[in-house]
Amino acid sequence: MFLNQRTFIFLSIIIVAIGGIGTAEALNYRSYVFGTYEVIVFSYEDGTDLEVYGFGQTLWSGTLNKGQHRLVQKPYGPHVPEVYEVVGSRKFSVLTGDLTYGLSGYYSIDKHGQGASTELYTYVQVRSSDPHDIQKFVVFAYEDGTQVTIEKDQGNGSYTEVVTNHPLDAGEHWQSQDFSNEYIHVSSNKPVSALSCYDTGYFVPSANGYFSGTRFYTYLARNHEGGLTYSPQDLIVTAYDNDTEVTISDCNVPGVVKWQGTIHAEEPHVQRFPLKAWMSL
């Protein structure tokens, strides 16, 4: 896919979950994230000292080693908006949203704030009890010859392998519907992205790891409204430059183009899909 080397960013539906990575300040790394009830902090290095602040108090402080996480929840009261501050002695990542008690969709980010990486830690929500709802965990590859290992947490830092060195080429993906309330570790020899997809919308990372670029792969979930009725899904592409040429294609069927056209700076294009879809841009 060729996009005339102009940069764009896209998201689908509504943004509900964000992740953050702090920037160096003296010897600390600091992140500010918005949420209503809870955040999950992931450690990428041993001996990472962390403090989480919110609602006018220290919510948690402690030390995490590589691969460990901490779910930090508001101790009492209604779910109201709040800006959380997370400070660490080493780089970390933060996931926020309605995580354990609601519906979310989000891509993982690594300790450098990149959405495509060779190492990612993330969380998959509790599986819905509705048999019509389909929750997926998806890993996308951006380069040929990618090998992916996926592990699930067995005890906050102790992992067991689900798949080992699974081969993927550019535009291909690995998916599972078996995870529920699981903390996941993804490692690979080349950058990949990891999507926890249940409901709602999310920013999508590009092949360069940022959330703007010239090549993207994503999945639009089938959103259940009740019975056998499903709501359509929107893919929104926004340009940063004039004369940005965009091609939206089906990842699973080579040569099938869903839309192709030119958009200009700050101009969005909305592509609607009646059901689920695997897309490349």
Side-chain angles (χ1 to χ4, degrees), residues 139-152:
V139 175
F140 293 94
Y142 297 88
E143 299 180 36
D144 291 343
T146 299
Q147 294 185 329
V148 181
T149 296
I150 299 168
E151 304 170 294
K152 62 180 180 179

Side-chain angles (χ1 to χ4, degrees), residues 18 52 77 85 89-90 107 129 131 158 188 195 202 226 228 232 235 256:
I18 58 173
V52 181
E85 179 185 9
S89 61
R90 301 174 187 271
Y107 278 84
S129 59
S158 175
S188 58
L195 170 63
Y202 30 82
L228 295 177
L235 183 70
V256 174

Side-chain angles (χ1 to χ4, degrees), residues 78-253:
H79 296 189
V80 295
E82 173 70 353
V83 175
Y84 294 83
E85 179 185 9
V86 185
V87 182
S89 61
R90 301 174 187 271
K91 290 184 177 182
F92 56 89
S93 64
V94 185
L95 176 64
T96 180
D98 202 2
L99 301 170
T100 59
Y101 294 100
L103 305 178
S104 295
Y106 43 83
Y107 278 84
S108 173
I109 64 170
D110 71 0
K111 66 179 181 179
H112 303 296
Q114 301 288 293
S117 176
T118 57
E119 183 169 47
L120 297 161
Y121 291 98
T122 191
Y123 171 73
V124 179
Q125 291 184 300
V126 176
R127 185 185 299 111
S128 171
S129 59
D130 189 328
H132 298 107
D133 284 340
I134 298 178
Q135 175 177 317
K136 290 182 183 292
F137 178 72
V138 187
V139 175
F140 293 94
Y142 297 88
E143 299 180 36
D144 291 343
T146 299
Q147 294 185 329
V148 181
T149 296
I150 299 168
E151 304 170 294
K152 62 180 180 179
D153 184 87
Q154 297 296 299
N156 202 3
S158 175
Y159 288 84
T160 182
E161 290 184 351
V162 178
V163 295
T164 303
N165 295 328
H166 182 80
L168 293 173
D169 287 330
E172 294 182 340
H173 64 270
W174 178 91
Q175 64 172 309
S176 175
Q177 296 173 206
D178 297 330
F179 296 136
S180 177
N181 191 28
E182 303 274 10
Y183 290 89
I184 304 297
H185 177 221
V186 179
S187 58
S188 58
N189 64 330
K190 299 180 181 182
V192 297
S193 61
L195 170 63
S196 298
C197 181
Y198 187 177
D199 197 355
T200 66
Y202 30 82
F203 277 112
V204 179
S206 71
N208 63 16
Y210 297 100
F211 289 80
S212 62
T214 58
R215 184 159 54 98
F216 302 83
Y217 301 108
T218 193
Y219 172 70
L220 281 74
R222 183 173 63 177
N223 188 16
H224 178 226
E225 288 188 332
L228 295 177
T229 301
Y230 297 93
S231 62
Q233 305 295 293
D234 290 340
L235 183 70
I236 304 173
V237 183
T238 303
Y240 285 87
D241 298 290
N242 291 330
D243 301 318
T244 299
E245 297 178 8
V246 180
T247 300
I248 301 175
S249 303
D250 190 321
C251 284
N252 288 343
V253 186

Side-chain angles (χ1 to χ4, degrees), residues 39-99:
V39 297
I40 301 175
V41 183
F42 296 94
S43 173
Y44 283 76
E45 301 179 43
D46 289 340
T48 301
D49 299 322
L50 293 157
E51 296 178 349
V52 181
Y53 302 96
F55 304 96
Q57 60 185 301
T58 301
L59 297 176
W60 176 79
S61 64
T63 301
L64 297 178
N65 290 325
K66 176 179 171 61
Q68 293 184 320
H69 62 267
R70 179 72 181 194
L71 171 65
V72 181
Q73 297 175 317
K74 182 184 178 185
Y76 55 84
H79 296 189
V80 295
E82 173 70 353
V83 175
Y84 294 83
E85 179 185 9
V86 185
V87 182
S89 61
R90 301 174 187 271
K91 290 184 177 182
F92 56 89
S93 64
V94 185
L95 176 64
T96 180
D98 202 2
L99 301 170

